[in-house]
Amino acid sequence: MLEQIEGSHAVAKAIALSRPEVICAYPITPQTHIVERCAELIRVGAIRNCEFINVESEFAALSVAIGSSAAGARTYTATASQGLLFMAEAVYNAAGLGLPIVMTIGNRAIGAPINIWNDHSDSMALRDAGWIQLHAETNQEAADLHIQAFKLAERLSAPVMVCMDGFILTHAYERVEIPTQDQVDAFLPPYRPRQILDPSDPYSIGAMVGPEAFMEVRYLAHDKLLQALGVIPEIQKEFEDIFGRDSGGLFHSYRMEDAKTVVVTMGSLAGTVKDLVDDLHKDGARIGVISLCSYRPFPLDGLRYALRGASKVIVLEKSLAPGFGGVLASDVRMALQGVDTHVHTVIAGLGGRPITRKSLARMFARAERGELKDPHFLDLDLDIVRREIDNQRGQITAGPIAENILREIGPCTPKAV
Amino acid sequence: MSGKTSEQKIKFYQKGTFTVGNRLVDEARRSVQGSMERSNAITSGHRACQGCGEALGARYALDAAMRATGGQIIAVNATGCLEVFTTPYPETSWQVPWLHSLFGNAAAVASGVAAAMRVKGREQVRVVAQGGDGGTTDIGFGCLSGMFERNDDVLYICYDNEAYMNTGVQRSSATPPTARTATTPAAGPKPGNVFGTGKNLPLIAMAHNIPYVATASVAHLHDLERKVEKAMAIRGARYIHVFVPCPLGWGSASHDTIRLARLASECGLFPLFEAEHGEITGSIAIRRKVPVEDYLKPQKRFAHLFKDGDGIERIARLQRMADANIKRFDLQRDAKEAPL
């Protein structure tokens, strides 16, 4: 049924339809509305046969999930930002144990300075934990990806993060087609665990593995994610057959026929970029867009093929590796190894800085003219940055940078860009 | 407070000990380990050190839990000696389903297993979580407290050897004052662990008002079994804190493990008691009180106390701690009240 609904609530409905058996909840903005709504759906009987556990930390949330998943229950949790980092040890552990837990990330910046708004620093920090990471472009896709995520996780016995941009998606009201229970039941079979804790067939899970076998175990974790490169499109097709909608997959291509410049991005930003690209096409520009859905595994071959006709690639990303540059951009360069295509790194939207069509258009024009430095920071106020660099150089006791800048720009609202 | 657990009037002790001989008690009250049909949660061949108190405590505890549940248990383990020495890949000593996740999350993982059993309608399958003192009183404390306050149906057993033994004997919040560890060396004007630090986890567990809390010792194996069986008859969060000497970490003889555990209780430093819903319901009275020196002297971790005259005041301070326990838990009452 088509509903005008908040992103978080659409996801909660998708979770409910997926018949979860254990949900662990710990509040952190901006994912909190999801687990709140799950709690309500359980209380009113819309989710049946499900344990909802209010835990004392994100580390406990994922640890409870590890226990319930290993004991054979379909398990869900959600987090963001500091919460994801607080559970980091358990994130690696869940993947190492091969437990098909599904977790939403309401993507948010990481402090200090503390910031509740959207960027991709959180899930990027855990990109190599062995989880499948899917990024939603819209709330419809966010809801759909959760239903797909359980199937994907359970088929491969690997955990899946569904990443959706904090506030931009989680708190936005959009039209979302909510599937029927019959559709979801036809798509998603009951969870049949590969390994289970059962007194009638006891075995040990989580034994110590030394140098004699550790390499092989890790290789198999790598291999499992490479298998996902094949399984994700299969599930995309199975989903389309039942729900009549193209959702998920490895990446989405937009106006890629004869594109000379291609913007590669992830998440909700793709919508803004596509609108702008439509406008630019009216003026004869040949710009295409690729928005990645599967960031881990990273579709190296698929991307290389999709970008074969491009002479310029602009990677537009909401993450920064300090002392290095772009995170996504470096992955895209890996896909284009040995190909003579110029790759620009554009870092944008950190900590919720708005990414406007105007700024993007200006940046694209500079890229066309070959004036873009690498990495480029979209809408960075260089005056403030230079003054603070001078300030820090000038005195040992210059004080904390973030607070100095706040003092300088005064108690006003964020600068309009 | 009275010894409500008292059941037997006449005691038959093994020579030179206060251990009741298995063959001398009536059959219903014999040890699980004395039975030909005994359960066997942790089978032999593991890599524990000679004289390991934890291996002994874990075997008795888990076997008792198996007997109490007809074998319907799932064990969860924190990282630590017990985890490492029972599962050298590709071997395992565990004859029950067993899950190890991380150092600090055993209680939460166990909560998850219990939740799965509830949702699957398999509530006859019970969950036992285990960790050492580091994994329990320090790094696992948050998850443990969460499991307690939610009253999840988990028995958590802490095997307390009073330091991080697996990593080479570093101080934990269960390390007693003056004890030498690798991070509280026996050097300087205040050698060993400092006074006035550490936490008493059984009392903290009681403050959560959970249905059952007990301390136990490998010197009182019948009592340990009884407490585990009692715990398994109760639903909700339960906690048993077992005193397990570590010959390697304490610098004691392997054959002294049981003796040291007994002396720890007989001097008053490790009181044996149980509590329900935050109220103490019973304790094991001291049969023959010994001075703390008797317990401290055979252990190299306390050797600096006896090196010269310097240790006298610190020994006296430890004695005052023991005496405070004796008073608090009424451990020197009439021996007739003493349970098995």
Side-chain angles (χ1 to χ4, degrees), chain A residues 65-117:
Chain A
I66 285 168
S68 60
S69 185
R74 181 173 284 166
T75 302
Y76 171 77
T77 188
T79 192
S81 184
Q82 316 293 139
L84 182 63
L85 295 202
F86 195 59
M87 64 165 69
E89 190 189 12
V91 172
Y92 274 79
N93 192 253
L97 293 171
L99 299 172
I101 297 161
V102 171
M103 175 161 69
T104 310
I105 308 298
N107 282 109
R108 169 185 150 181
I110 289 168
I114 187 169
N115 174 298
I116 62 166
W117 293 277

Side-chain angles (χ1 to χ4, degrees), chain B residues 23-333:
Chain B
R23 286 168 298 151
L24 297 176
V25 297
D26 55 89
E27 257 181 65
R29 294 171 58 242
R30 281 186 194 178
S31 162
V32 177
Q33 302 294 324
S35 162
M36 290 289 281
E37 290 83 37
R38 76 173 171 94
S39 47
N40 190 13
I42 308 169
T43 203
S44 59
H46 56 69
R47 311 294 206 266
C49 306
Q50 200 173 32
C52 172
E54 186 174 36
L56 182 67
R59 183 159 65 87
Y60 270 72
L62 271 285
D63 283 353
M66 280 184 83
R67 181 165 76 173
T69 58
Q72 295 295 298
I73 65 164
I74 292 172
V76 173
N77 223 120
T79 308
C81 282
L82 180 62
E83 169 258 329
V84 171
F85 74 65
T86 55
T87 60
Y89 181 86
E91 297 162 14
T92 178
S93 285
W94 295 93
Q95 306 299 304
V96 294
W98 179 88
L99 173 63
H100 160 246
S101 172
L102 295 168
F103 198 5
N105 71 354
V109 171
S111 291
V113 175
M117 291 304 116
R118 243 178 354 258
V119 80
K120 297 278 183 191
R122 302 186 65 202
E123 283 175 295
Q124 79 282 6
V125 180
R126 309 297 298 283
V127 187
V128 180
Q130 330 171 71
D133 50 289
T136 304
T137 69
D138 289 343
I139 197 170
F141 183 67
C143 286
L144 184 65
S145 179
M147 185 276 278
F148 285 163
E149 72 78 20
R150 290 188 302 269
N151 199 26
D152 290 333
D153 190 28
V154 172
L155 167 61
Y156 190 103
I157 303 176
C158 170
Y159 304 108
D160 179 8
N161 53 23
E162 302 192 324
Y164 291 88
M165 300 315 186
N166 192 42
T167 45
V169 199
Q170 295 83 18
R171 178 210 183 260
S172 79
S173 62
T175 302
T178 74
R180 177 207 68 190
T181 69
T183 51
T184 54
K190 291 176 178 171
N193 194 30
V194 292
F195 279 98
T197 62
K199 61 177 96 159
N200 187 325
L201 204 59
L203 295 182
I204 296 169
M206 283 168 59
H208 290 76
N209 283 323
I210 58 175
Y212 187 68
V213 173
T215 62
S217 166
V218 288
H220 294 263
L221 290 166
H222 282 75
D223 180 64
L224 169 61
E225 288 182 340
R226 185 186 63 75
K227 285 170 173 164
V228 170
E229 285 173 25
K230 184 171 177 179
M232 295 316 285
I234 298 168
R235 290 278 175 180
R238 291 141 288 140
Y239 179 73
I240 299 181
H241 192 105
V242 189
F243 191 79
V244 293
C246 170
L248 194 72
W250 293 9
S252 58
S254 299
H255 57 73
D256 271 346
T257 294
I258 305 291
R259 185 166 78 95
L260 284 173
R262 183 177 303 112
L263 289 168
S265 294
E266 294 290 290
C267 75
L269 281 175
F270 191 84
L272 295 167
F273 63 93
E274 52 191 330
E276 293 175 36
H277 300 286
E279 297 295 329
I280 289 179
T281 54
S283 62
I284 295 188
I286 290 171
R287 296 202 183 90
R288 182 191 56 182
K289 193 188 172 213
V290 296
V292 292
E293 286 97 323
D294 286 17
Y295 164 67
L296 303 171
K297 216 163 191 174
Q299 306 178 52
K300 288 204 184 86
R301 63 175 173 157
F302 297 115
H304 60 90
L305 294 173
F306 302 96
K307 237 170 63 199
D308 42 45
D310 285 3
I312 290 170
E313 174 45 32
R314 280 170 298 180
I315 292 169
R317 214 166 156 187
L318 289 167
Q319 185 64 58
R320 288 200 291 278
M321 285 171 60
D323 293 341
N325 279 337
I326 289 167
K327 193 172 166 216
R328 179 177 204 166
F329 298 99
D330 191 21
L331 300 175
Q332 273 201 301
R333 56 185 186 271

Side-chain angles (χ1 to χ4, degrees), chain A residues 5 28 60 91 115-116 176 183-184 191 207 216 266 299 352 363:
Chain A
I5 189 171
I28 184 168
V91 172
N115 174 298
I116 62 166
V176 177
Q183 281 176 311
V184 177
Y191 172 33
E216 285 70 22
M266 264 190 336
M363 180 269 289

